[in-house]
Structure formats: C-alpha cells, structure tokens
Amino acid sequence: MFPKFYQTNKKPKTKRQSSPIDLAEKRAWNWFSKYIRLRDCIRTTGRKDMFKCISCGAITAFGSGDAGHFISRSYKATKFDERNVFAQCRKDNRFLQGQWDKMYEAIRDLHGQETIDDLMIQRNKLTYNVDYAELADTYRNLYNSLK
C-alpha cells in the first residue's frame, strides 16, 4: 500500500471531447497547411518536395516543415489568410516564435507594406459562421491541383 501522502481523492482527468466544429476546423487546417507548404515549395525551389524557409532560408523537406503564421493563429480572422501563412522550418516556427522580424521583411518584400498593414487591421475583426467544411474542400482541391 502507498503511504498516505501518495493517495489522493482526485478523480483522473478525462479528455475533453472535440466538438464537431473543432474537428472541422482541424480538418480545414490540415488541408490549408498542406496547400501552403506545397505552394511555397513550388514558389521557392520549383520542386514539390522541398521549400526555402521564409524566415531563415533553410531548405526543408515538405514533411519536415510547418505552415507558420506572421500574425498568430489565435486571431481567427487571419488564421486562414494565405498572405499571413508561409512555409517555415520547424525550428523557426516552434522554438523561435517564427522569427517575426525576418518574416516581416520577407512578407514586405513579397507582398508589400500595404499587405502587412491590411493584415494588422484584419486580425481584430470578428469572424462568425466560418464554414470549415467548405474551407477544407477548397484547400484540398487547391492542394490536389498543385500536386
């Protein structure tokens, strides 16, 4: 028997069930992420299996990279905006906060300061009734058309 201080009366935590909306958003993100990484593979290297990281310039395999956000994905209004998301190496996206300053310069060079200004305005807009199933279908079709 365990000593008394090891024993607790706490119930084990149960994992929260994902809602249908959460599952649809996850599916939409999956296809959007694949599309963004493939788009940037073709744009940066001309190949479909490797891309150049927008932040550091490292050549990264399609499956070893992320679709990194310039403006955090917590802002729902710009989460699925193609001007806000680019292929990044996992190191930059996950451990270096996307190297925001370098990403800013790259987006400015690619799309112009007006795009950055517009994204900054758009991020605070409220989004209602997003059809994640439609988004998933759209980006699945775009991904398959590039593949």
Side-chain angles (χ1 to χ4, degrees):
M1 192 70 174
F2 290 109
K4 184 142 180 94
F5 61 87
Y6 280 118
Q7 298 174 0
T8 64
N9 292 332
K10 293 182 181 178
K11 293 180 182 177
K13 292 183 180 180
T14 58
K15 190 172 181 180
R16 181 179 74 90
Q17 291 290 333
S18 296
S19 73
I21 293 172
D22 291 341
L23 293 173
E25 183 178 7
K26 186 174 182 177
R27 183 171 171 261
W29 173 253
N30 180 48
W31 284 111
F32 181 74
S33 173
K34 285 180 180 180
Y35 166 71
I36 293 296
R37 287 180 287 136
L38 184 58
R39 174 199 73 183
D40 288 354
C41 283
I42 294 166
R43 182 179 58 81
T44 61
T45 65
R47 299 173 53 173
K48 295 182 180 181
D49 61 340
M50 305 288 274
F51 65 84
K52 183 178 176 184
C53 175
I54 192 164
S55 301
C56 70
I59 302 298
T60 306
F62 175 87
S64 298
D66 288 339
H69 288 80
F70 172 61
I71 295 173
S72 171
R73 65 189 277 172
S74 64
Y75 291 96
K76 299 286 186 184
T78 55
K79 181 176 182 175
F80 290 98
D81 190 323
E82 294 178 31
R83 304 169 303 162
N84 185 46
V85 186
F86 297 88
Q88 278 189 309
C89 65
R90 287 187 177 159
K91 181 181 111 185
D92 285 352
N93 190 40
R94 297 181 187 187
F95 304 110
L96 299 175
Q97 290 76 43
Q99 292 213 37
W100 195 85
D101 54 336
K102 292 180 181 177
M103 197 171 187
Y104 177 93
E105 292 173 13
I107 294 171
R108 187 184 63 217
D109 293 345
L110 191 62
H111 293 296
Q113 184 63 41
E114 300 80 25
T115 297
I116 292 172
D117 295 341
D118 186 50
L119 287 170
M120 293 295 192
I121 293 167
Q122 294 297 322
R123 72 179 176 180
N124 292 318
K125 291 192 174 178
L126 297 176
T127 56
Y128 299 102
N129 302 325
V130 176
D131 188 347
Y132 291 116
E134 184 180 326
L135 269 176
D137 290 342
T138 298
Y139 284 106
R140 184 186 71 237
N141 292 336
L142 285 169
Y143 172 79
N144 288 329
S145 70
L146 291 179
K147 197 172 180 189

